[in-house]
Amino acid sequence: MFEPIRCTAELSQSPTSFKPLLQQYLVSRNQGLVPTNERTVMILTSKVAQKSYGTEKRFLCPPPTTLLTGADWWSHEQQASRATPAKLTIQISGEATSQTGVLEWHNQQGALLDSAASMAATACVLGETQTISGKCVSKQLHINDADEKRKRVEVLVKIQLGNGLILGTLASKGIKVISKPSKKRQSAKNMDLCIHHGTTISLFNRIRSQTVSTKYLGVSRNNQPTNGLPVADTNGTCFVARTGQWDPFVVWIVDTQHQSTEPHNTKDQLNQSMKNKYSPPPPAIALKAKGGPIAIHYNQPVVLQCVSTGLVSPVMVIRKVDRGSMALGGSRIDRSNGNGNGSGSGSGGGIGGGGECGDEVLGDPVSQLHKIAFQIVQDPSAHSTNSNNNISQPFLLSTSSWNLPNSCQPVSYLACLNDAVGMHRTTSTRTLHKPEAPKRPVEPSRRNSATAQDLSLDGSCWTEDVSDAAVWTIVGTDCASYTFWTPDIARTQSGLAHFPIINNLTMSSTTSCNGDLLTLTGEHITRDLKVWFGDIEAKTDYQSRESIRCVVPDTHILETSLATTIDEELVIDGSIGPNRRLPLLLVRNDGLVYQTDFFHTF
């Protein structure tokens, strides 16, 4: 039987005084404003990392990055020169050593505050805190080999406020520990080692394997140099290469066959987007995904979308790189045998063939920390399999089983050119890749026109030199985000303790109480938490450290909330909105409000 827990402590404000403050906070959030006293900590990491052996130090690539946004990261002082910022201590779980985080501070316009005086003056004006953000890039973190059984680690960020209060220690998402990048062909269902459609990645270029020359793909803003490759923007924003910081990108498979008008915000995609709420809406040319994750395969057309700006790259074909800077590609599909889709149900999500013109067999799934190259599609319309406009066939090499696919001229690749990113044009012609007898059967969906005896070990058909500048290492990334608010930050004297994380919701009907039951499962759930639907408190029952349960308030009560937002394109039970939704919050008995990544829709 459902019996709400009676908390031993009450809100520091009475419920009648707390609710208006919470309403004001949520309304300001809905209006796109930065609410007073709200703070967010984001920890960006790679999904996999190599272990260091002996005395070597294989630093994590990309380096874990901590972002502090919102207000109150500096202490309140009447004199700005006395204000002090928050301090970070960074370490990897299981490691004995730690390092002090070096924070760069930016104002509300994104400009770097390059001196202590300008930081303090911006942070505190007559004692009133302004919104500035901090970024900490931890470049020298590595995983030692002391514990051979350690398969996953976390980056731990200890935060101390400027007034000396230890806010708490927050953890990144789990990082899979590997000894070296796998050379085995990955299964498309391998979530840890495959790169998937609609997930975030980092790309870095490293000349002659020297770590000091590592440069990360990023996007410049309007107040930064704009001598790189332009993306889909008219304000000078472009790709750049940086040694000191990196940008996460969402990688999307390009839909080359269907011009569907179906909205991207299907229920499946909405649930997926909740896992990374900071990703921008997908571009129109992205494959409309349904069901489970779709692994990206070599030779597929893709686009990169910057998470922070939302800008989209040109259409590019992702190529496998082997033996230094040699890009590999697949055979032309023989459509006369009726098997011209280029991929089967297990190797491409059912979309068309790969290559520049959609006539190329797909390769293996793209794997973590593999060397890749991005061939820029000069004419995206060349993907139409019903037209050969602007398509040349300069490569006449073929065998009885293979034909080189069509290609648009010139052949160019995304390349790191000093600090800029541009297009590198190849100078050599494509040559047939010498086949080797496979050691294991080849799946029928990848044979197409070639036989099992003709395919090389990796399914490649041709090769060309793209130069070291066009070779990138790809790795999936993750973001752990923590957002919290309190009506009076001075009252939060106990820090965050363990930040409660909600991973899943389960709705169930019951006759024993008035309304449906909602169960929230996750981590670090405590007895002093209550569930709120926006500014409406729910009857709450603590279950365990991993579970909390509440009664869903009646719809007529939810309709009175001032924090309701309307989602015009949200799909529920097959019908498109408008639909109303409220954020699900966890409120501690001292008034500290924890944001979750979930909403209740009604």
Side-chain angles (χ1 to χ4, degrees), residues 534-580:
D535 54 350
I536 297 174
E537 183 180 359
K539 295 180 180 180
T540 303
D541 180 20
Y542 171 81
Q543 300 282 291
S544 68
R545 293 280 293 172
E546 292 78 33
S547 177
I548 193 170
R549 189 174 59 174
C550 68
V551 176
V552 180
D554 291 340
T555 300
H556 75 273
I557 297 177
L558 296 177
E559 288 174 342
T560 65
S561 170
L562 298 181
T564 303
T565 56
I566 303 296
D567 193 331
E568 298 287 347
E569 295 185 345
L570 182 64
V571 176
I572 299 180
D573 297 330
S575 62
I576 300 178
N579 294 283
R580 293 159 295 183

Side-chain angles (χ1 to χ4, degrees), residues 370-431:
H370 272 198
K371 306 290 187 187
I372 63 166
F374 289 105
Q375 182 188 347
I376 298 172
V377 177
Q378 302 295 336
D379 181 9
S381 66
H383 280 292
S384 173
T385 57
N386 299 319
S387 171
N388 285 327
N389 295 334
N390 301 319
I391 297 176
S392 60
Q393 294 178 303
F395 310 117
L396 303 178
L397 291 174
S398 64
T399 69
S400 58
S401 300
W402 287 354
N403 288 311
L404 287 171
N406 291 314
S407 176
C408 298
Q409 291 297 304
V411 178
S412 299
Y413 286 82
L414 187 74
C416 179
L417 310 171
N418 297 319
D419 292 335
V421 173
M423 293 186 289
H424 169 74
R425 185 175 300 179
T426 59
T427 56
S428 61
T429 58
R430 291 176 176 174
T431 58

